[in-house]
C-alpha cells in the first residue's frame, strides 16, 4: 500500500467518513497541476517548498517539523523572510498590484496544496483540495494581488489532511502593502512585528504530539499544552520605547484566544483580516478565532527602560472550556498566561501620535444585497458525532449544492446559524458537549459583519468573549458562538468558479464541515 493510501484509509477509517465520501475521493479524476504560463509577466517570482526539517523549539532535542522554505527568484530579497529568525515560519511581503508567480514544490511524504487565505484570486490559484499534488510534484501559482494592505496568510488545504499538515508546522504570513497604507504613516521595519500564535504539545523527546484517531478527539479539535509565538515557547523581544504595529494572528488548529495587555491599557486596533480600518478603535480585550488576524498599534514610550509589557492570553477549546490553567509556560497573571514579552530598550523614548484616519474602503450596504430581506442561511448543526452545514458533510470534491450558487458581482447577506438545540442521539456519551463555537470562513471574499444575534441564553463567558470581537472591520473569519446567528455581507468579485466555505477549526474542516460554493457569470 502506498503511504498516501495508507494515510487516507487510516484517517477516513478512523473518522468513520461515509463510504460514499471515500469512494468519491478515490474516483477523483486526476487534475494536471498548473504550470507556468509564458504570457504571465511576474513582478515577483518565488520558489516555495514544503518539506521536513529539524528545528530547535524547546531546549534539548530538536523537533521534527514540516515547514515551508523558499527562495526569491525575481524581486527584492525582502519579499521573503522568517518570523523572528525562526527559519521555518515564512513571511511574504507583497504589494497590491504586483503579479506574483510561486513555484510550489511538494517534498512531503503525502499530497498537499497551498491555499492563500483571504486573497481574491482565480479558482485554480486558490488551493482547493481537488488540486492537491503528489510528493515530488510542482504546482505553479500565478496571480495578481488585488487585496488591500493587510495581514493575510497561507496554509496547506488537502482534504482531510489540512489539520495534520498545519499542525506539523506548515503555515506562513502574507503581508500586503499599498499606497494608502504608506500614507497612514504606521510603524514599519523593526516596529512592525507579526506574531504567529500557535499551540502545540510535545512528547518527552521534544517531538510533536497530536490528536488520537477517535472521532471524539477530532470533534473537540486539538489544543496544545504550550503556546508558541513565532515558534518560540517563551517569546520575548527587545523593543524601542516607541510606537509599534503588532500583527496578531491565531494560527492554531482549534484554540480560541482571548487577549489583553499586561499594562492594563486597551488595544488600539488598526486592522482586521481584510486590512486597515477606516479609523483606529480601542478595545480592552481581543478574541481571536482560528485563522483570524488583528493588527494593533501600541505606544511603548511611557514604559521604563528595562521593564516589560506582556501579551496575556486565555485559551479556550471549541467547546469554550478555558484550559489556560492546564497549559504550561509562565505563571498565570489574573487567570491569563503571558505568551509574549516586550522588553524596553535603554534608548531614549520617542512618543508618537496615535494613528488618525487609516484608510477608506467601499462600504457594502445591506440595501445593495440581492437578498437583503432573506439571508442565505448556513445552518450549523451536529448529529451522531458529525458536523453539518445545511445538513451536509463535504462529499464530492466538486459538488455544489443548489443553495450555494451566487452571481458574479452580486452582494449577498449570509447568515451563519449555530444551532445549539441539538444533541439528541449523540451517542458516545457526548450529551453535554455539543455546544461549540465555530469560526466560519469564506474563501475569495472579505465580508463585513452586519449583525450578531445572541443566543437566547447567553452566558457571562459569551459576553466576555463577545467584547473581544472585531466585528467592525473587513473579515474572512467570524466566530459564531453556540446559539448565535451572525449575518455577514459580502460581494463576489472578479472571478467566477468554485470556492469553499467552512469552519476553520481544522479538525472540523477535515471532518467535512465544509462546502463548495460557485460564483457564476
Ligand atoms: Cu484558511 Cu479554507 O482556509
Ligand atoms: Cu481561506
Ligand atoms: Cu467547527
Amino acid at each position: 500500500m502506498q503511504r498516501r493510501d495508507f494515510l487516507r484509509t487510516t484517517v477516513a477509517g478512523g473518522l468513520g467518513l461515509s463510504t460514499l465520501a471515500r469512494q468519491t475521493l478515490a474516483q477523483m479524476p486526476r487534475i494536471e497541476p498548473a504550470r507556468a504560463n509564458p504570457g504571465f509577466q511576474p513582478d515577483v517570482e518565488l520558489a516555495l517548498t514544503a518539506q521536513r526539517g529539524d528545528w530547535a523549539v524547546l531546549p534539548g532535542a530538536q523537533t521534527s517539523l514540516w515547514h515551508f522554505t523558499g527562495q526569491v527568484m525575481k524581486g527584492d530579497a525582502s519579499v521573503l523572510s522568517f518570523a523572528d529568525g525562526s527559519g521555518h515560519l515564512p513571511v511574504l511581503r507583497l504589494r497590491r498590484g504586483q503579479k506574483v508567480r510561486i513555484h510550489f514544490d511538494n517534498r512531503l511524504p503525502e499530497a498537499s496544496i497551498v491555499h492563500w487565505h483571504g486573497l481574491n484570486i482565480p479558482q485554480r490559484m486558490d488551493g482547493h483540495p481537488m488540486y492537491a499534488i503528489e510528493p515530488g510534484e510542482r504546482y505553479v501559482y500565478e496571480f495578481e494581488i488585488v487585496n488591500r494592505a493587510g495581514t493575510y496568510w497561507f496554509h496547506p488545504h488537502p482534504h482531510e489532511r489540512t489539520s495534520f499538515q498545519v499542525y506539523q508546522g506548515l503555515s506562513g504570513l502574507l503581508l500586503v502593502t499599498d499606497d494608502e497604507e504608506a500614507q497612514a504613516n504606521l510603524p514599519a521595519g523593526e516596529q512592525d512585528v507579526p506574531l504567529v500564535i500557535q499551540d502545540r504539545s510535545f512528547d518527552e523527546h521534544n517531538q510533536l504530539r497530536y490528536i488520537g484517531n477517535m472521532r471524539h478527539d477530532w470533534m473537540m479539535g486539538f489544543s496544545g499544552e504550550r503556546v508558541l509565538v513565532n515558534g518560540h515557547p517563551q517569546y520575548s523581544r527587545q523593543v524601542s520605547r516607541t510606537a509599534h504595529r503588532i500583527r496578531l494572528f491565531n494560527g492554531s488548529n482549534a484554540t480560541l484566544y482571548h487577549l489583553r495587555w499586561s499594562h492594563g491599557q486597551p488595544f488600539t486596533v488598526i486592522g482586521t483580516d481584510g486590512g486597515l480600518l477606516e479609523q483606529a478603535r480601542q478595545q480592552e480585550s481581543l478574541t481571536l478565532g482560528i485563522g483570524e488576524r488583528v493588527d494593533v498599534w501600541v505606544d511603548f514610550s511611557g514604559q521604563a527602560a528595562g521593564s516589560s509589557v506582556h501579551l496575556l492570553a486565555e485559551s479556550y477549546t471549541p467547546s469554550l472550556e478555558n484550559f489556560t490553567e492546564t497549559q504550561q509556560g509562565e505563571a498565570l497573571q489574573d487567570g491569563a498566561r503571558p505568551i509574549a514579552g516586550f522588553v524596553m530598550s535603554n534608548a531614549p523614548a520617542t512618543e508618537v501620535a496615535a494613528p488618525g484616519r487609516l484608510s477608506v474602503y467601499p462600504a457594502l450596504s445591506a440595501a445593495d444585497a440581492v437578498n437583503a430581506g432573506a439571508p442565505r442561511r448556513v445552518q450549523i448543526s451536529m448529529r451522531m458525532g458529525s458536523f453539518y452545514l445545511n445538513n451536509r458533510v463535504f462529499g464530492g470534491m466538486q459538488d455544489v449544492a443548489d443553495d450555494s450558487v451566487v452571481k458574479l458581482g452580486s452582494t449577498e447577506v449570509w447568515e451563519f446559524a449555530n444551532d445549539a438545540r441539538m444533541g439528541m442521539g449523540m451517542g458516545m456519551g457526548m450529551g453535554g458537549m455539543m455546544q461549540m463555537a465555530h469560526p466560519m470562513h469564506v474563501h475569495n471574499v472579505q465580508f463585513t459583519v452586519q449583525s450578531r444575534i445572541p443566543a437566547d441564553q447567553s452566558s457571562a463567558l459569551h459576553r466576555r468573549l463577545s467584547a473581544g470581537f472585531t466585528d467592525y472591520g473587513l473579515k474572512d473569519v467570524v466566530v459564531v458562538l453556540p446559539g448565535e446567528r451572525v449575518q455577514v455581507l459580502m460581494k463576489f468579485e472578479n472571478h467566477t468558479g468554485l470556492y469553499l466555505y467552512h469552519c476553520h477549526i481544522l479538525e472540523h474542516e477535515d471532518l467535512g464541515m465544509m462546502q463548495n460554493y460557485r460564483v457564476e457569470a
Side-chain angles (χ1 to χ4, degrees), residues 15-22 24-25 159-160 215 379 381-397 399-401 500-502 507-516:
L15 301 182
L17 290 185
S18 74
T19 322
L20 181 65
R22 261 176 287 159
T24 324
L25 289 173
H159 190 43
E160 298 179 328
R215 196 169 184 89
Q379 181 85 35
S381 60
M382 182 159 127
R383 281 191 316 275
M384 308 297 287
S386 288
F387 293 102
Y388 297 86
L389 298 178
N390 287 340
N391 291 313
R392 299 185 299 266
V393 173
F394 190 77
M397 201 58 97
D399 291 357
V400 180
L500 292 162
Y501 59 98
H502 57 84
E507 290 79 12
H508 289 182
E509 173 182 337
D510 281 345
L511 281 173
M513 197 179 183
M514 175 163 88
Q515 288 289 299
N516 285 318

Side-chain angles (χ1 to χ4, degrees), residues 387 436-440 503-505 508-509 513:
F387 293 102
M436 282 193 212
H438 300 283
M440 297 304 296
C503 174
H504 220 293
I505 291 169
H508 289 182
E509 173 182 337
M513 197 179 183

Side-chain angles (χ1 to χ4, degrees), residues 142-301:
E142 290 173 338
F143 51 82
E144 182 180 336
I145 305 281
V146 301
N147 284 71
R148 308 171 64 241
T151 307
Y152 306 88
W153 68 296
F154 57 98
H155 59 84
H157 216 303
H159 190 43
E160 298 179 328
R161 296 299 284 167
T162 298
S163 55
F164 179 81
Q165 293 188 6
V166 172
Y167 186 76
Q168 293 305 305
L170 288 162
S171 54
L173 285 171
L174 194 162
L175 313 184
V176 175
T177 185
D178 64 11
D179 295 342
E180 189 178 47
E181 183 186 63
Q183 300 279 309
N185 246 320
L186 293 169
E190 285 290 296
Q191 277 85 52
D192 178 353
V193 187
L195 290 188
V196 181
I197 305 171
Q198 295 174 313
D199 45 71
R200 298 287 183 262
S201 290
F202 296 87
D203 68 13
E204 66 276 25
H205 307 295
N206 284 356
Q207 300 310 306
L208 293 175
R209 209 159 45 65
Y210 188 48
I211 208 159
N213 243 350
M214 298 296 292
R215 196 169 184 89
H216 167 266
D217 298 327
W218 282 74
M219 292 183 65
M220 294 295 118
F222 188 80
S223 292
E225 292 157 356
R226 301 190 81 124
V227 183
L228 307 183
V229 169
N230 291 351
H232 300 280
Q234 252 152 352
Y235 181 86
S236 159
R237 179 191 180 97
Q238 185 164 83
V239 291
S240 45
R241 289 183 292 152
T242 187
H244 284 72
R245 174 184 192 169
I246 314 253
R247 303 177 191 246
L248 301 167
F249 161 51
N250 180 358
S252 299
N253 277 37
T255 313
L256 269 110
Y257 286 94
H258 189 236
L259 305 169
R260 58 198 146 88
W261 285 124
S262 64
H263 61 330
Q265 287 181 19
F267 287 107
T268 300
V269 179
I270 57 171
T272 50
D273 301 332
L276 294 177
L277 302 176
E278 297 189 276
Q279 232 151 349
R281 308 261 299 227
Q282 305 266 305
Q283 208 164 305
E284 293 299 321
S285 67
L286 286 173
T287 303
L288 255 68
I290 295 91
E292 271 196 79
R293 293 85 68 202
V294 178
D295 280 19
V296 301
W297 180 91
V298 61
D299 183 6
F300 291 131
S301 68

